[in-house]
Amino acid sequence: MLVHFAHLGNDLMRQMYGIGQSRIGLLSNGAEPAKGNRLVKETHALLRADNELYFIGNIEGSNALSGVCDVLVCDGFAGNQVLKVTEGTARRIIKDISEYAQKSGNAEIKKLCKHLASAYDISSLGGAIVLGTRKPIIKAHGNATEKTIVSVTKMLLNMANHKTAFDGYKGAEQ
């Protein structure tokens, strides 16, 4: 299943972002091939043997969003945890910087806070694309706002206009 996810992610990156050969990473608790639970170890061996993918190896949580890979493969539980911890950390850092900016009165820091709040605004991103389906599906956050739904709609329209990743996709489930 995780190898299939890697192929889906690779195809999506090629079709939506023009990346010919995505760097595929596997989320694990260590970079070494012997690290991880049974699922991760078995998946590592399968990905390493797959000649259609550019598998770069295990990726630790601290590097999950570093840009070292284009596709990070993991099960849904682990992926959800990475996203939620990242969102919470970003909110906390922005909040702390904003409080400091208010106390110091520094205009440049206030400007930085405004930029960070905009750049990491989850509602403007929309949602996560669900791969492996015949038609586009985007999963929005459980606490989605009106702005989020507008963003998701724009994502869907963009995908439909470009017939990206879903029109006749070879890996789509029936």
Side-chain angles (χ1 to χ4, degrees):
M1 176 180 69
L2 294 182
V3 173
H4 184 66
F5 288 171
H7 281 275
L8 290 171
N10 189 51
D11 289 347
L12 179 77
M13 295 304 286
R14 185 182 69 253
Q15 292 177 30
M16 284 190 73
Y17 302 105
I19 297 174
Q21 190 66 32
S22 299
R23 298 165 297 159
I24 309 293
L26 177 63
L27 184 64
S28 184
N29 64 321
E32 303 85 357
K35 291 279 188 152
N37 60 20
R38 181 177 169 192
L39 176 63
V40 170
K41 290 176 189 176
E42 290 176 5
T43 302
H44 186 280
L46 293 171
L47 288 170
R48 179 71 58 211
D50 192 320
N51 294 326
E52 294 180 31
L53 298 172
Y54 176 40
F55 178 56
I56 62 169
N58 287 349
I59 305 296
E60 294 185 57
S62 60
N63 288 321
L65 303 176
S66 68
V68 70
C69 64
D70 302 305
V71 175
L72 181 64
V73 177
C74 60
D75 65 66
F77 181 82
N80 197 345
Q81 293 304 308
V82 168
L83 288 174
K84 289 187 177 187
V85 166
T86 302
E87 290 170 0
T89 303
R91 271 195 308 273
R92 177 58 195 252
I93 291 170
I94 292 168
K95 179 181 178 261
D96 289 349
I97 294 171
S98 295
E99 288 175 1
Y100 177 79
Q102 290 302 323
K103 288 178 185 174
S104 71
N106 186 314
E108 285 299 311
I109 296 176
K110 288 180 182 180
K111 199 167 143 182
L112 171 65
C113 291
K114 187 175 181 178
H115 166 74
L116 290 173
S118 174
Y120 292 96
D121 177 16
I122 296 166
S123 63
S124 68
L125 300 175
I129 299 169
V130 178
L131 300 177
T133 59
R134 288 188 294 151
K135 299 292 179 184
I137 296 174
I138 297 177
K139 163 66 173 90
H141 226 295
N143 61 357
T145 64
E146 184 178 315
K147 183 178 178 181
T148 307
I149 301 305
V150 169
S151 297
V152 167
T153 303
K154 287 178 182 176
M155 288 174 72
L156 285 167
L157 287 171
N158 183 38
M159 292 168 70
N161 287 337
H162 293 95
K163 297 187 184 300
T164 303
F166 294 93
D167 191 39
Y169 176 68
K170 66 180 180 183
E173 300 297 324
Q174 298 300 320

